[in-house]
Amino acid sequence: MAEHYSSFNRGTWRWFLQRVTAVFLIGALAFHFVMLHFVNHAASITFAGTEARMGGILYFTLMMTFLVTAAFHGINGVYNALINMGLKGTQKKVVAAILVVAGIALIVQGTRVAIAMSPMF
Amino acid sequence: MSTKIEEKPETETEADEQTSPGEQRRELKRERAAEREQQIQEELSEAEETVGIKVFRFDPEVADKEEPRFDSFTVPFFRGMSVLDALVYARDTYDSSLTFRHSCRQAVCGSDALFINGRQRLACKTQVSDLEWPIRIEPLPHQDVVKDLVVDMEHFYEQMHAVEPFFDPDETPDGELEEQRQTPENREKVKLSTRCIWCGACMSSCNIAAGDNEYLGPAAINKAYRFAMDEREGEDRKQERLRIVEQEHGVWRCQTQFSCTEVCPKDIPLTEHIQELKREAVKSNLKFW
Amino acid sequence: MSQSYDRGIVESFGRWREFSAGMWAWIFHKLTGWILVGYLFTHIAVLSTAIEPGTIAAAGDGEFYTSTLQGLEELLIVRFLEVGLLAVAVFHIMNGIRLLFVDLGIGLTSQDKSFYASLVLTGAITVASIPTFLAGVL
């Protein structure tokens, strides 16, 4: 007991990461909207334009981070909402597994799309 | 209006010239009832104002009350009348089977938290004049109803006990009769959290506690705060307390809807306390060195 | 002998008229959150069909991508849905900022006012963006 309590607590980390990703997403989502609706008009998007943007290493990294943080924030949010509604036991484990798989699939497919859009690859 | 079983008027058989003692008693009783009836009418007509209350009725053990319903009572209004006063009048005057908990009548015992006009309030602390009439009185939502306005508080108490709500310092002073002193600042910090009267209004108002039965709930977390923040207990005990509230069904379930803070009859900033415990838990988790 | 029975609207969202600011903020935040996570999946799915991974690498001109996106943008309904998405995103951001302050324990006593502020800001930003979003189709 004398030792400082430091064991990894999943609930604590999920809460904390939800907030950290939130801070990043506020900027990233706003930037994404401004970039693709105001700076570049959504109706005039062409593959050449997308390719030019995704060719920049900074922009590409930003979009990839956006994808991963948004996937975590969204899926973790859904999981929280379901626990709040009283999800528990085996059902909870099954739902958690499904959500993790969905999240990974989203990130994998998103990455494939990003790579296809970028002339860097 | 009333569920009291009415005395059936006896059909008098004039066989005996002398009335039996039983009949004499019944006669007296009828007279008293008539007198009381007249008195109520007088009270009602003398009162400058009367207030209508609609009270939730339910009793699984009485055939007539198995189906939940609302009964209306008319109560003479007086200045300074609380909702509890109105309920007591209705029970004493119209229906002695009307059931509700109350004890101290001064917002200390915490037994008369009810759902009054769509909000969790203490009946003894709520002025009739502050409410819209007729007043609708129901038992606390999200708890099982035992009878009329009485709810089962067992689950609430279980959650309260789960946070070990007692003072438990790491070390006690050396001297046998030495006091365990607390700084005025620290007393100020925990002051509001000590006000809890275990009425259960917060738990009943909480949308998450309603969905997730394992959620500790605002009152229990506030109790944990009261001791975790008490510097006399020591660091080890504080870490143990944090370990209880940082479980999945502890502080993380709070969605900062502020419902509990709004209904708390003792004005405890519950959401604020829960949020502070969240930050404390994160801090203690981040300190992995 | 406690007994469970259906207490109807007492225990459900049927009492929405009595909800206070904090509760509304939570409902809207949750609703917009569900929409955004749903859109995230849809977004990646639409982009996936538009890039045709097999042909892109070979042809490299991205003609299919351009025509898919511009075809979608020609539809009036898509433009309106985009305005809706903007409103949803802006509210989630605004209320999200409010919630971050609540988590930091800042301004908890004016949490209702900050909710109304996020509503007003969302409305203002959405209305101001409508011309940009509908340009070309109307």
Side-chain angles (χ1 to χ4, degrees), chain B residues 56 58 60-61 68 115 117-119 136 138-146 151-152 207-208 255-259 262 271-272 275 278-279, chain C residues 1-7 9-13 15 18-23 26-27 30 98-99 101-106 108-109 111-112:
Chain B
F56 180 90
F58 171 71
E61 287 161 15
F115 200 56
N117 275 6
R119 190 189 158 109
R136 193 179 158 98
E138 294 162 77
L140 289 179
H142 306 306
Q143 266 139 307
D144 285 343
V145 179
V146 182
V151 291
D152 186 354
N207 184 265
I208 307 303
Q255 305 292 301
T256 61
Q257 293 172 343
F258 290 90
S259 307
E262 271 162 33
T271 312
E272 196 179 321
Q275 292 301 84
K278 285 180 188 171
R279 294 196 297 275
Chain C
M1 290 305 103
S2 76
Q3 198 109 347
S4 282
Y5 61 89
D6 185 13
R7 287 176 68 187
I9 63 160
V10 178
E11 308 215 312
S12 70
F13 287 86
R15 281 188 185 270
E18 282 144 13
F19 288 170
S20 54
M23 185 68 176
W26 177 77
I27 290 173
K30 184 155 144 161
R98 168 183 170 271
L99 288 177
F101 279 108
V102 167
D103 286 333
L104 292 171
I106 300 167
L108 268 75
T109 45
Q111 57 89 15
D112 47 347

Side-chain angles (χ1 to χ4, degrees), chain A residues 85-101:
Chain A
M85 287 175 186
L87 186 72
K88 57 185 174 198
T90 320
Q91 265 190 325
K92 186 171 132 184
K93 287 199 185 97
V94 172
V95 168
I98 293 171
L99 286 176
V100 168
V101 170

Side-chain angles (χ1 to χ4, degrees), chain C residues 35-117:
Chain C
I35 295 172
L36 286 172
V37 72
Y39 181 74
L40 177 60
F41 278 89
T42 317
H43 195 39
I44 296 297
V46 169
L47 290 180
S48 300
T49 59
I51 57 162
E52 275 191 312
T55 57
I56 282 290
D61 61 352
E63 197 48 51
F64 188 64
Y65 175 88
T66 308
S67 61
T68 306
L69 260 66
Q70 293 193 346
L72 280 172
E73 288 295 326
E74 272 166 27
L75 303 170
L76 186 62
I77 180 80
V78 170
R79 297 298 188 96
F80 275 111
L81 285 174
E82 280 178 344
V83 174
L85 185 69
L86 177 82
V88 162
V90 171
F91 177 80
H92 204 79
I93 289 176
M94 293 301 165
N95 194 54
I97 294 170
R98 168 183 170 271
L99 288 177
L100 285 172
F101 279 108
V102 167
D103 286 333
L104 292 171
I106 300 167
L108 268 75
T109 45
S110 37
Q111 57 89 15
D112 47 347
K113 288 180 207 84
S114 56
F115 166 61
Y116 299 135

Side-chain angles (χ1 to χ4, degrees), chain A residues 16-62:
Chain A
F16 185 57
L17 286 177
Q18 189 75 353
R19 269 71 198 163
V20 173
T21 52
V23 172
F24 173 78
L25 287 167
I26 289 169
L29 182 58
F31 172 77
H32 194 60
F33 251 102
V34 169
M35 211 50 196
L36 297 164
H37 281 283
F38 296 92
V39 176
N40 301 287
H41 211 273
S44 48
I45 284 174
T46 59
F47 189 71
T50 300
E51 215 175 17
R53 280 190 295 277
M54 291 298 273
I57 182 91
L58 194 68
Y59 189 87
F60 184 84
T61 316
L62 183 70

Side-chain angles (χ1 to χ4, degrees), chain B residues 6-17:
Chain B
E6 301 286 335
E7 296 263 327
K8 293 233 166 63
E10 309 255 327
T11 42
E12 307 248 334
T13 43
E14 295 289 319
D16 261 3
E17 269 178 36

Side-chain angles (χ1 to χ4, degrees), chain B residues 183-232:
Chain B
T183 63
E185 293 76 29
N186 190 243
R187 170 62 202 167
E188 273 307 305
K189 188 171 181 59
V190 298
K191 186 174 85 181
L192 293 177
S193 65
T194 63
R195 286 183 178 178
C196 179
I197 54 172
W198 298 45
C199 70
C202 54
M203 185 82 145
S204 168
S205 78
C206 178
N207 184 265
I208 307 303
D212 175 10
N213 208 38
E214 287 172 58
Y215 176 38
L216 284 174
I221 296 174
N222 175 70
K223 217 21 135 186
Y225 176 95
R226 184 256 170 276
F227 292 108
M229 294 301 168
D230 193 318
E231 61 187 11
R232 294 171 298 177

